[in-house]
Amino acid sequence: MRVLVVEDETRLAAALADGLRREGHSVDVAADGAEGVWFAEENTYDVIVLDLMLPVIDGYEVCRRLREQRNWTPVLMLTARDADRDMVTGLDAGADDYVTKPFSFEVLLARLRSLARRQVAERPTTVVVGDLELDPATRQVTRRGQALDVTAREFAVLEHLMRNCGRVVTKAQLMGAVWGFDFDGDPNIVEVYVGRLRRKVDKPFDTETIETVRGGGYRARAER
């Protein structure tokens, strides 16, 4: 297994490299985010160990750049943080798994073996339906290059529809995904938010991405 370790803590990087080499793996080490991107562009790896807090550019940005270049090498992110938001941000940026410091080398090694066994497949960081693009990492929505102003809740509704493009999503499914199945507010809230989204993402562009399916719910369509 060929591994790229992107870690600015010299002792930790050396320990990881030594441990992986003792296990028979080939290892390259990058000391900052920009160097990590360069290594990944110039070489082929089975897996990348990527620290979150890096000089020059951080681990989030490293991962985003690689995925934008259609580099789908599995990424295991290392972080000293344990907040859910940090983990979600890393996964949204394109990471495949994460380990929180301090960690057991045996556990990290097992995670790497698991990632390396996976079949590499495209995992774009953005969701695209026709000319409508949604980026979960930056929470931005654009259409034909124009940034759209949507609220956090509108973003969540649109993301769920776009990720299920071509499939009917019921009102109950949208309610559960965005508001939670125990939501006891106005049952018409889904219609309200879909209406808002249509006025923002469809009407100004004279198109109909969000379609109503009679008796079923809603469906995102690439062309209309």
Side-chain angles (χ1 to χ4, degrees):
M1 183 165 65
R2 189 175 187 188
V3 183
L4 171 62
V5 175
V6 189
E7 171 60 67
D8 66 314
E9 295 181 24
T10 306
R11 293 179 63 183
L12 177 57
L16 287 173
D18 289 345
L20 289 167
R21 286 168 183 147
R22 282 197 300 270
E23 295 291 328
H25 305 302
S26 173
V27 184
D28 289 327
V29 177
D32 61 57
E35 189 178 26
V37 171
W38 182 85
F39 268 103
E41 290 173 342
E42 295 296 319
N43 304 281
T44 300
Y45 296 97
D46 296 297
V47 67
I48 298 172
V49 178
L50 178 64
D51 188 30
L52 172 61
M53 302 302 294
L54 291 167
V56 187
I57 57 175
D58 64 24
Y60 298 136
E61 183 62 21
V62 170
C63 206
R64 289 193 196 101
R65 291 189 186 186
L66 294 181
R67 298 317 188 214
E68 286 171 358
Q69 295 169 13
R70 307 184 74 78
N71 183 328
W72 310 113
T73 305
V75 171
L76 178 69
M77 189 168 280
L78 303 181
T79 174
R81 304 176 180 180
D82 57 4
D84 289 345
R85 184 67 256 167
D86 294 318
M87 308 311 174
V88 170
T89 302
L91 295 172
D92 279 344
D96 298 88
D97 200 357
Y98 62 86
V99 172
T100 303
K101 300 176 184 178
F103 53 83
S104 159
F105 178 75
E106 287 73 19
V107 170
L108 179 135
L109 191 59
R111 295 279 187 90
L112 292 180
R113 286 195 297 261
S114 176
L115 288 176
R117 285 195 299 267
R118 296 181 186 177
Q119 182 177 0
V120 176
E122 293 193 3
R123 298 179 300 279
T125 58
T126 57
V127 185
V128 179
V129 174
D131 57 8
L132 183 64
E133 184 169 337
L134 178 148
D135 188 336
T138 62
R139 314 298 288 179
Q140 291 184 335
V141 179
T142 57
R143 178 156 232 161
R144 301 174 192 171
Q146 180 178 332
L148 306 181
D149 183 18
V150 298
T151 67
R153 193 78 75 176
E154 290 166 354
F155 186 96
V157 172
L158 183 61
E159 180 179 11
H160 194 74
L161 290 171
M162 290 177 66
R163 287 192 183 278
N164 290 278
C165 180
R167 295 191 290 268
V168 176
V169 179
T170 68
K171 294 178 183 178
Q173 288 170 333
L174 266 176
M175 181 81 75
V178 178
W179 286 271
F181 289 102
D182 57 351
F183 177 74
D184 59 359
D186 186 349
N188 295 318
I189 193 72
V190 172
E191 289 93 327
V192 171
Y193 274 84
V194 168
R196 290 180 182 176
L197 281 171
R198 282 173 168 157
R199 288 192 292 273
K200 292 182 177 182
V201 306
D202 281 349
K203 189 175 180 179
F205 301 91
D206 193 27
T207 188
E208 186 182 349
T209 300
I210 305 173
E211 140 181 271
T212 298
V213 179
R214 187 180 299 275
Y218 303 99
R219 175 170 51 204
R221 295 185 52 163
E223 297 180 1
R224 183 65 174 169

